[in-house]
Amino acid sequence: MSISPNILKVLSDITGEPRVDLAIHDIIRDAVEHRLEKIQIELTGLEEKYLMPFKEFDIKFQSEIIPGQFSYPVEKDYLEWEGLIHRQIRLEEILRSII
């Protein structure tokens, strides 16, 4: 694989790392950490909206005791929340594998 000199310079400028393999590693790590931060903000928003963590919400949702749970907004929140949890877990696994 070849990388253009312009991209190599940008990688070096962004990371301060002259070695391309280490620069790419740093960029990937930063990208994963940034995505995890964004996910955490979204998770916190849902926890604040429903005043509980997902595990508790999930138990109540499965027991059909969440007010309005069959409404589109609540079902949408549930699916998004569950997806965020799964993405967070996957990104944490990726981060551990590259550190």
Side-chain angles (χ1 to χ4, degrees), residues 25-91:
H25 178 271
D26 287 351
I27 293 287
I28 292 171
R29 187 191 67 240
D30 289 350
V32 171
E33 288 173 347
H34 177 71
R35 288 174 191 245
L36 280 168
E37 289 170 6
K38 286 176 62 175
I39 287 171
Q40 188 56 56
I41 290 167
E42 291 182 60
L43 290 173
T44 299
L46 288 164
E47 290 172 355
E48 290 172 354
K49 180 176 181 177
Y50 291 98
L51 303 174
M52 64 185 88
F54 180 75
K55 286 183 181 184
E56 183 180 343
F57 184 84
D58 185 39
I59 291 167
K60 290 180 178 183
F61 191 89
Q62 300 304 325
S63 302
E64 299 183 1
I65 57 176
I66 295 290
Q69 88 174 61
F70 298 110
S71 69
Y72 176 75
V74 175
E75 286 186 351
K76 181 177 174 275
D77 284 349
Y78 177 84
L79 293 173
E80 286 181 11
W81 205 345
E82 184 178 45
L84 287 167
I85 299 283
H86 289 293
R87 276 187 276 160
Q88 181 184 44
I89 290 167
R90 180 65 185 126
L91 287 171

Side-chain angles (χ1 to χ4, degrees), residues 12-33:
S12 180
D13 289 347
I14 290 171
T15 63
E17 180 57 59
R19 288 185 43 195
V20 68
D21 58 329
L22 295 178
I24 290 172
H25 178 271
D26 287 351
I27 293 287
I28 292 171
R29 187 191 67 240
D30 289 350
V32 171
E33 288 173 347

